Amino acid sequence: MQQVPEFDMSRRDILIVGAVSAAGAAAPGLASGQETVAAPVVGKVILTINGTARALEVDLRATLLDVLRETLKLTGTKKGCDHGQCGACTVIVEGRRINSCLTLAVMHDGDKVTTIEGLGTPGDLHPMQAAFVKHDGYQCGYCTPGQICSAVAVLEEIKAGVPSHVTADLNGRPKVTPDELRERMSGNICRCGAYSNIVEAIGEVAGVKA
Amino acid sequence: MKFETPATTNPIDQLKHIGKPTPRIDGPQKTTGTAPYAYERHDRAPDAAYGYVVGATIAKGRITGIDASRARAAPGVLAVVTAQNAGKLGKGEKNTARLLAGPEVEHYHQAVAVVVAETFEQARAAAGLLRVDYAPAKGAFDLAAAKGSAESPKDPPDSHVGDFDKAFATAPVKLDATYTTPDQSHAMMEPHASTAAWEDGAVTIWTANQMIDWGRSDMAATLGIPKAKVRLVSPFIGGGFGGKLFLRADALLAALGAKAAGRPVKVALTRPMMFNNTTHRPATIQRIRIGATRDGKITAIGHETWSGDLPGGGAETAAEQTKLLYAGANRLTATKLAVLDLPEGNAMRAPGEAPGLMALEIAIDEMAEKLGLDPIEFRIRNDTQVDPAKPERPFSQRQLVECLRQGADRFGWKDRNATPGRRREGRWLVGMGVAAAFRNNLTMKSGARMRLQPDGLVVVETDMTDIGTGSYTIIAQTAAETLGVPLKQVVVRLGDSSFPVSAGSGGQWGGNSSTAGVYAACMKLREVAAGKLGLDPQKAEFVDGRVRVGNDSRPLIEAARDGELVAEDFIEFGDLAKKYQQSTFGGHFVEVGVDAWTAEVRVRRMLAVCAAGRILNPTSARSQVIGAMTMGTGAALMEELVVDKRRGFFANHDLAGYEVPVHADIPHQEVVFLDEVDPVSSPMKAKGVGELGICGVGAAVANAVYNATGVRVRDYPITLDKLLDGMPAVA
Amino acid sequence: MRTFTYERAKSPAEAAAAVARNPGARFIAGGTNLLDLMKLEIETPAHLVDVNRLELDRIEATKDGGLRIGALVRNTDLAADKRVRKDYGVLSRALLAGASGQLRNKATTAGNLLQRTRCPYFYDTAQPCNKRTPGSGCSAIGGFSRPLAVIGSSDQCIATHPSDMAVAMRVLDAVVETVRPNGETRAIPIADFHRLPEKTPAVETVLAPGELITAVTLPAPVGGKQVYRKVRDRASYAFALVSVAAVVQPDGGGRAAFGGVAHRPWRVEAAEAAMPRGAKAVTDQVFAGARPTEQNAFKLVLAERTLGSVLAEARG
């Protein structure tokens, strides 16, 4: 079998993943005699993903998450549970963070969606991404895009005055405190247990000591 | 390179890269979502079809019929693979239960089929059309009920030192208590996932696997093809914790599905299926007996443990640490294994020690209280610098006492009220707990290949994996240190079975062993490079990108002027582990608040002081420890796979039902590493640290809850229902 | 998930008519519970009527001094509304104690009321469940019942209603406004909205087929100290073992409703007269006739202690 390196990891400038020719990948499809017997029910939507409008025809059953990952190949948004129980699929839709696994793509016609790919790139990190690297706010990396999208939105929510479960004065303005960050980030599970570092990273971006 | 005598001064001791807090070199990819995981290989398998796994709906019995006709006729379906049409399948050496059921069903949600379709939505819908009929059989699902039938497994053997029974019977102060730990799930964030593609009778599987070579061997064994025809690739793994040590159903069914569909197929287990389909940490029942003199010297210590597994499976080795952790002339450990028809029990982060210390370190706390001793002082009085069963065999390093003393100072242990239930702050009862951390240091043969490229880049290739542990970075640091090049000049390629076989990620052996293997390969490359430059390899120093012998100094890059230099070697460990006991140690300190009304437990402060050899990268090592402390907190307070003992499965099989800690459960965590180098462990003088952090922390939480409330819970997890009846009056 | 057809409704009455017209049709708003269940084929609608674009997303003052909350007001927006925070603090608190920030951004007021149980056997289609498959049996009775109901249950079902919001609305005497397929509207006191399981646990509310919730109204503010206390195993992002929504007046009187204990928010108004005498006096009456399992009997103790905590906090 052809031996092509799969992934290079280096501290130097970021390598372009996928520039290497595919190794041992696709044999030509043998499925020509097995065409679908009935087309799925589809719907048309226009989604603006990270600033680019995309006109799509989607299976009605497709979640926003699966359209991002499988149709648009934006795999930075992760599928951890597919049931709204982990937060790995968090993206920002019309300025609000949501679980992209629990919403149908067809319900988002005309919506603006920001995914992790829209925040920054390896060569040009968003401040929140840079803070996660600095504070080692991740380990395996799988929940990380969701944590970062959530964190960016959390700071906006606090700025907008949205209270949380731990806000002491319901009628006052919420502040960025470690307890507030922990409560508001609780919809993003990190099984590696990077929580303590994540809160420090967010705190740094918010300009407070966690 | 053979490592047979303790390390002397070597290039690693320069500490230009090793030992420095170093941000992960894979950080920019992980934080931007550009690190590709197993299900995301659009770059490698752009036309992959989708496989959806169907699990058995009985715990034990036989499949009497499968009707796949409706599923096959469903839109987009390319193939339905079941045991009926999969061909003859073997079983991997590391698997207890088969990965594809039929006709026998060995456990709930054991895979019975994979449905392959053009799209995920089609595969999922068609899977719902598959009809499987079963003849259920009676099974054993209750560990407590099966305890009497448990037998001694092959491994580990029971141990007897001195005369435990007599010493315990005659001890002036004694404790005899039974503790239970529940089944637990790894619950890593990335589900088990694989993409498989066949070409010329060989299969490539992009997968999520901690131990590439184990997975490759078992895939070959299961498919009945030569190992050379299997390639596994796992550059990124979204968490493992032992749950991805082995070939699992996703990889096998992706391979079978791809073969049947005639094109690449990707398969991810659904979250609700993971808890019963994959492996878990088995529940234990542990009896601990400790006898001591009135001045707190242990004279007898006995630890017996019971667990269950499928026929042919293994025991949870929860008594093992008790052979080594404390002194005492008369000792007993015993392990018993019952047959249970629950899903396969297997390794989860610190198998053995994690549940073992959850019990032992409560027992030590209880014993200290009986003796009227501070629990730290009791531990110090029973420290041992040698293997208690073989006094001629010392620990290579053992700084447990220092960990506890430093931790006590930093944590403010002196402010703890030894009488439980006395500290109240508002609605909170506050308590502190301590426990020892202990985890053996294992070493594994590990290989690597080095390339010095004409452009000056140094490339490391090894099938080592990075499951969040920081392997990429410590390997780059090791190469940079040994070859005297800047970190940014090192490229690390991991997780590909076409690279030399490494230690892999498990048992906290990966960091030390894999970097030692890279060190060995780097030393080989130094020889080749020096030879190429006409310099004496024995005398050559590799510093600042140059190779120097006396006044003769040449750029390293010149060695590759005529073409890439390649060197390959591995580290192999001799019998130092026989002569020395190698272990890692720590002290866990925890402060909890327990709601005086509702008995909800919330952790307020956590500190771990660790002694684990040379710390290669304090940044990622700290992360390993805080992550393990977090998982241990979950084990102490909330994690339990609830066994439905009538139907034989884990009932709470999703992430809403199986609660793991969230941000709000975890306070700021402090970690201190003591200065330590352990020349007995490897040329790196490092030891494992990835599991030490979970060892003992659960008991520290439990002891803090006791200190806060006066309620001693010996049955994990410590949920509020177990505290309510004993809570002090609120007013 | 089975295939379905999909339409976007243009008016509440049209939406109701569309659902009534299509057997097996369901409304979809936030989708956070429905899609979860559709993926597992616990819900298998043949047609979805997307109501998200209906103009039911406002919170308005009513002429009698209360608030009318549109059915599509998102949980985040309802919790953050200044009037709700000021005058109906228990509702804000209950919402903020539920789910996660991401889910609250999608979940709607009506959808929250219509959440289905989190009983693990309801969620596992291989297991008998009278709520999912009427007549198949209840696996939870005699099985894993720790999180389940202690009162109001039946031999058919011991599920709990998972909402926090609904518990606060119960204590506030909210009213659910609906429109039926024929265009008629009605107002259902929340006390009458959720059913007990009895012999038909699959029927969870009094809504008729096609009947669409358009709003929830809150009566004029009742003042008092308002507390929502949710007790759970982990600190956030978890369903309640027991919760208490309470309004406590300066004279020691007040109201209390309990979550996590029954098939609907549990409130016994007659017991509230006992509130000045303390928690036990109240919970003895509220939980009279409770039928806990061995695994969840602790909830009775916990409910009393939680109310005790709430009363202590309210009386500060």
Side-chain angles (χ1 to χ4, degrees), chain B residues 87-248:
Chain B
K88 189 175 182 305
L89 294 178
K91 195 176 84 173
E93 190 197 326
K94 306 279 182 193
N95 294 129
T96 303
R98 283 165 307 121
L99 300 176
L100 181 61
E104 300 301 323
V105 172
E106 295 163 285
H107 63 85
Y108 199 74
H109 280 177
Q110 188 175 24
V112 297
V114 62
V115 178
V116 180
E118 293 283 351
T119 71
F120 173 69
E121 291 77 21
Q122 290 170 334
R124 180 176 57 191
L129 299 172
L130 194 77
R131 190 188 157 98
V132 185
D133 293 317
Y134 301 95
K138 207 167 160 341
F141 309 118
D142 183 347
L143 176 60
K147 186 176 169 230
S149 67
E151 295 179 357
S152 298
K154 278 200 300 275
D155 192 52
D158 295 350
S159 70
H160 303 270
V161 177
D163 185 342
F164 171 79
D165 287 336
K166 188 175 160 204
F168 182 71
T170 56
V173 182
K174 50 191 158 189
L175 171 85
D176 180 350
T178 296
Y179 306 85
T180 59
T181 63
D183 297 287
Q184 296 168 353
S185 182
H186 310 85
M188 72 296 278
M189 297 317 297
E190 180 202 24
H192 298 76
S194 297
T195 303
W198 290 85
E199 188 182 22
D200 300 334
V203 65
T204 298
I205 302 157
W206 295 271
T207 187
N209 189 299
Q210 301 173 226
M211 299 291 297
I212 297 299
D213 194 56
W214 292 3
R216 184 189 196 195
S217 299
D218 277 354
M219 180 64 93
T222 308
L223 293 175
I225 61 176
K227 196 171 162 183
K229 297 285 189 186
V230 177
R231 182 180 175 203
L232 251 61
V233 186
S234 270
F236 290 97
I237 296 148
F241 316 114
K244 291 174 181 166
L245 285 170
F246 316 114
L247 179 75
R248 297 298 317 165

Side-chain angles (χ1 to χ4, degrees), chain B residues 54 66-71 80 82 112-113 115 125-132:
Chain B
V54 178
I66 298 180
D67 178 359
S69 57
R70 287 176 67 216
V80 178
T82 70
V112 297
V115 178
L129 299 172
L130 194 77
R131 190 188 157 98
V132 185

Side-chain angles (χ1 to χ4, degrees), chain C residues 192-218:
Chain C
D192 303 332
F193 183 78
H194 293 105
R195 291 182 70 262
L196 288 180
E198 298 173 341
K199 298 220 172 300
T200 54
V203 185
E204 292 166 354
T205 67
V206 298
L207 293 178
E211 190 168 4
L212 175 71
I213 299 174
T214 52
V216 175
T217 55
L218 301 178

Side-chain angles (χ1 to χ4, degrees), chain B residues 236-365:
Chain B
F236 290 97
I237 296 148
F241 316 114
K244 291 174 181 166
L245 285 170
F246 316 114
L247 179 75
R248 297 298 317 165
D250 58 298
L252 177 64
L253 295 177
L256 293 174
K259 196 163 205 181
R263 62 188 261 198
V265 165
K266 56 183 183 177
V267 172
L269 294 185
T270 63
R271 181 62 63 174
M273 206 170 158
M274 285 171 63
F275 297 82
N276 286 286
N277 176 271
T278 71
T279 61
H280 66 279
R281 189 202 299 282
T284 64
I285 299 170
Q286 302 179 48
R287 182 187 187 195
I288 295 176
R289 285 174 288 172
I290 302 174
T293 60
R294 290 199 192 285
D295 63 352
K297 285 277 187 195
I298 294 174
T299 53
I301 185 162
H303 193 157
E304 298 153 88
T305 181
W306 289 261
S307 60
D309 201 0
L310 289 164
E316 182 68 27
T317 57
E320 289 304 283
Q321 74 286 316
T322 307
K323 292 176 177 168
L324 293 163
L325 189 48
Y326 296 111
N330 303 287
R331 320 176 67 86
L332 158 75
T333 64
T335 306
K336 295 280 187 288
L337 176 63
V339 170
L340 290 180
D341 299 296
L342 291 170
E344 177 175 334
N346 219 313
M348 179 169 148
R349 202 170 199 170
E353 279 106 329
L357 286 165
M358 285 169 78
L360 177 63
E361 289 297 287
I362 295 184
I364 291 290
D365 201 65

Side-chain angles (χ1 to χ4, degrees), chain C residues 228-243:
Chain C
Y228 188 76
R229 182 78 171 86
K230 181 176 185 178
V231 182
R232 43 190 163 177
D233 289 321
R234 69 181 177 194
S236 188
Y237 200 18
F239 295 98
L241 293 168
V242 163
S243 70

